[in-house]
Amino acid sequence: MAEPTPPPYEQAADGASPTASELSGKIDAKLRDAVQRLPSLPGDVAYEVKPEALLTVCSTLRDAAELRFEMLMDLAGVDYLHYGRDEWQTVSATRSGFSRGRVARSADADPGMPGRFAVVYQLLSITHNTRLRLRVRCPDTQEPIVDSVTGIWAAANWFEREAFDLFGILFRGHPDLRRILTDYGFIGHPFRKDFPLIGNVEAQYDPEKKRVVYQPVSIVPRVLVPKVIRHDHRYEPALKDPEAPR
């Protein structure tokens, strides 16, 4: 599937550190047919894995003597719905005068776009003192699902529950996949880029019913990003560097 042009901070860097080059060489030799190198910052190593090969690749990354990624440091869901879109036209004004809080923005992209959701794993090898970022795309956007890696790294349990809660990503084989941050009766997934920032419902205590009740949200949408970026004297070079000319 075609991927949007990444923003500058995700573009491949010229050259790589010796450690990164050595690690990528080991991964290419061990998992060449199952993974693909991704653009990354200098010194970083990132790969994308095919969904059907996720468990095999993760097991190899953990168990292979030359890799030994024993620890899962983090796991996060990603929503690529507005990936690569520039919020700002210049340094002084937004493209449209509205921020990400603009309700109509959800119509700017196709919510059913292929490969919209992905899961990113941050791995650490204590043995070799190396780090690796691994990404897997969810094949089905309507029902994003990938295999759970809890059987490989036990730390994935709560991380996967968080990704399920906030993004709606399902993890096949997870022993206890339920919400972990939002309320039990919460509807929707707050980190999806088409989820309204003001939410869908609000809760308040009803003294007559003597319990918490839910009702349609009454919050007015806010603009979170200012239209104009004003010069701030706090960032004057002279205030940071005593040797700077005044």
Side-chain angles (χ1 to χ4, degrees):
M1 67 187 70
E3 184 172 325
T5 303
Y9 55 81
E10 290 242 3
Q11 289 179 353
D14 294 331
S17 68
T19 302
S21 300
E22 182 180 355
L23 175 58
S24 61
K26 293 178 180 178
I27 294 176
D28 289 339
K30 198 76 176 177
L31 300 165
R32 184 182 304 274
D33 297 331
V35 297
Q36 180 179 1
R37 185 77 184 269
L38 291 174
S40 58
L41 295 171
D44 289 347
V45 179
Y47 279 85
E48 182 161 27
V49 56
K50 300 176 182 178
E52 62 273 15
L54 176 63
L55 296 183
T56 301
V57 168
C58 289
S59 296
T60 302
L61 290 173
R62 183 194 63 181
D63 298 334
E66 64 270 37
L67 300 174
R68 295 294 293 163
F69 286 97
E70 307 100 329
M71 183 174 293
L72 173 67
M73 299 294 294
D74 193 16
L75 181 156
V78 182
D79 183 356
Y80 287 96
L81 182 62
H82 298 299
Y83 180 71
R85 292 179 174 238
D86 190 6
E87 186 71 26
W88 302 100
Q89 184 178 16
T90 68
V91 296
S92 60
T94 64
R95 180 172 52 192
S96 61
F98 293 91
S99 76
R100 297 177 181 87
R102 183 164 62 96
V103 177
R105 188 172 177 81
S106 60
D108 295 344
D110 178 15
M113 58 179 285
R116 171 181 168 182
F117 296 102
V119 180
V120 176
Y121 309 81
Q122 304 287 352
L123 306 178
L124 170 65
S125 171
I126 301 175
T127 302
H128 302 295
N129 191 26
T130 54
R131 295 178 181 268
L132 172 68
R133 183 169 73 254
L134 191 68
R135 184 181 73 183
V136 60
R137 295 270 191 174
C138 300
D140 188 353
T141 297
Q142 300 303 321
E143 188 175 315
I145 182 170
V146 295
D147 290 317
S148 171
V149 297
T150 52
I152 301 173
W153 297 290
N157 192 319
W158 281 18
F159 288 142
E160 290 180 350
R161 285 180 58 187
E162 182 180 38
F164 161 69
D165 192 357
L166 300 180
F167 290 93
I169 298 173
L170 303 170
F171 293 88
R172 187 185 299 109
H174 190 285
D176 186 24
L177 192 61
R178 56 192 170 93
R179 294 187 182 273
I180 192 172
L181 293 175
T182 58
D183 190 18
Y184 292 108
F186 192 88
I187 298 175
H189 304 282
F191 278 12
R192 290 195 177 197
K193 291 182 179 177
D194 53 1
F195 187 87
L197 293 182
I198 59 174
N200 293 312
V201 297
E202 62 184 20
Q204 67 176 17
Y205 181 76
D206 189 324
E208 295 183 358
K209 297 181 179 180
K210 297 183 178 180
R211 63 179 176 86
V212 174
V213 297
Y214 293 89
Q215 61 187 24
V217 66
S218 60
I219 304 173
V220 177
R222 297 178 300 155
V223 175
L224 302 182
V225 181
K227 183 176 180 180
V228 177
I229 303 177
R230 295 180 174 84
H231 180 72
D232 194 321
H233 71 279
R234 292 176 297 174
Y235 303 109
E236 289 285 352
L239 297 179
K240 293 182 178 182
D241 185 2
E243 303 299 327
R246 298 178 180 273

